[in-house]
Amino acid sequence: MDIDTRIRRRERRGGNHRLILEYQALNPVAHIEEPPGRGPVLERVLDYLDPVFDGRFPADAALWGPPGSGKSAVITALFQRLSGPVFRPQAGIQTTTRAQTVETPSFVHVDTRAAASEFQLYHETLSALTDESVPEHGVSTEDLLSRLRSQLAEQGAIVAVDHVGEPRTMTAETVRELFEPFDHLVSLLTIGRSPPEGDWPTTVIEIPAYGQQVLIDILMTRGSSGLAANAFSHSQARTLAAWASGNAHDALAALFGAAVVANREGRERLSTQDLERGMDAVPQPSASLGWVLTLPENRQLVLRELLNLSETDRQSVTATTEALADRPTIDLSPGTIRRFLYELAEDGIVERIQAERSDRQGRPPSRLEPRFPTLVFEQLYDMQG
DNA sequence: GATCCACGGGAATACACGGATG
DNA sequence: CATCCGTGTATTCCCGTGGATC
């Protein structure tokens, strides 16, 4: 337990009966410094990085495993540490082509969910590597490429590219091609849900789903720093862990949702019903929150307003479009809203469920159901204002 | 040095056509 | 075949940048 948590506990005595002490502790997307139960994976990633400690670049690698298995958690924690002030390797890096010593490499972590195009990938990488801001407009991809090249010539980098091969992100193979121009200046670590195809990269690290006990630990740890004392029991953690079958994202999302419900009802601890409603708000399977929260602003707005619509307003895509177009917060043409809804359905963030009604003629309409953790999204969206 | 303007990329919008059904 | 739903794609809009021009 950290100091902040201890202090918040004491504060409660002063009549401040808050159930939720720290939303970020429950946030499935917010990663903590020491992800538990992933020691062996950490070791293997460090094995892959080992040449860095001898002043050489490692060959490219891939890390893969199912959703909610802590891939991002491990890499976030590790790369944050390695790019921090603590890490200072003894020797400089030798490039394979030149015997000249260059600086030690930077460690950067880029998310292809936020960087789905060539332009954006270069942009994200470059801004992660430099202090000064990189223009997002008015500059060509070519331009960014050459800026990146000269930056990397000064200092090489180990680049972890997260979430490759998802519905809207580029494949590991594409990422490799885009980094081809920086050969010998960059080592790639791609992170995705499926194993790489073919004989690239050299090193492949598999990360299995969490076991039951570890998942319970994770929930208890997060719960104890995020919630008031005794608000969340061990047996409740066991229930959630069993339900989530190894997916920490879903388990935490359900806990977060349960806490939001209990908090709205003014309870000081989670009830069985809160837990149920928390789980109900996380569809199985669920689109990951990290994805939903990196969608462009207006798409998130459409999703947020979608959650406010009545059953009747969601009976068909047309009805939903009209209802959303009427919302004062949404300043988009009906055609665009409709476009968004179909695209979100295509990506599996919402699901179209076809009605089998027969009252009107024409193709039967379909109603839209969210396929992402609704309560968590609502809360996080409203908090960021 | 202030102003103008073309450019590049992404987001929004429009539109056309294909599919399903009574 | 009339009518509504679904999707691919072309076009327009927007917004900074950075070079040209005054």
Side-chain angles (χ1 to χ4, degrees), chain A residues 18 75 105 108 138 167 184 200 224 243 249 263 270 309 357 372 381:
Chain A
R18 283 202 302 152
I75 297 303
V108 301
H184 305 302
W200 178 84
S224 79
W243 166 82
H249 168 277
N263 192 47
L270 305 185
L309 296 186
R357 73 95 183 73
F372 56 95
Y381 184 89

Side-chain angles (χ1 to χ4, degrees), chain A residues 111-252:
Chain A
D111 186 356
T112 52
R113 284 170 177 164
S117 68
E118 185 179 356
F119 178 88
Q120 289 170 331
L121 184 67
Y122 290 149
H123 182 272
E124 288 294 293
T125 308
L126 189 53
S127 39
L129 286 169
T130 56
D131 293 331
E132 60 237 53
S133 70
V134 184
E136 291 183 64
H137 294 272
V139 62
S140 70
T141 307
E142 249 341 86
D143 202 340
L144 276 189
L145 178 68
S146 62
R147 288 199 203 189
L148 190 52
R149 192 185 281 113
S150 58
Q151 173 67 32
L152 285 167
E154 276 179 40
Q155 185 182 27
I158 315 292
V159 183
V161 186
D162 213 341
H163 304 117
V164 297
E166 290 186 3
R168 287 277 157 154
T169 66
M170 50 181 84
T171 62
E173 189 58 40
T174 306
V175 170
R176 170 169 71 145
E177 284 164 16
L178 293 179
F179 277 93
E180 204 91 84
F182 320 117
D183 208 16
H184 305 302
L185 298 172
V186 163
S187 284
L188 282 180
L189 171 61
T190 60
I191 302 149
R193 290 178 178 174
S194 41
E197 291 163 16
D199 52 5
W200 178 84
T202 332
T203 309
V204 176
I205 303 169
E206 181 180 358
I207 178 169
Y210 284 110
Q212 202 75 214
Q213 280 311 314
V214 179
L215 197 42
I216 292 171
D217 280 354
I218 291 171
L219 288 166
M220 291 307 290
T221 308
R222 298 275 206 133
S224 79
S225 47
L227 299 171
N230 303 319
F232 176 55
S233 74
H234 192 270
S235 80
Q236 288 176 321
R238 203 159 50 227
T239 305
L240 286 182
W243 166 82
S245 52
N247 185 331
H249 168 277
D250 287 2
L252 283 169

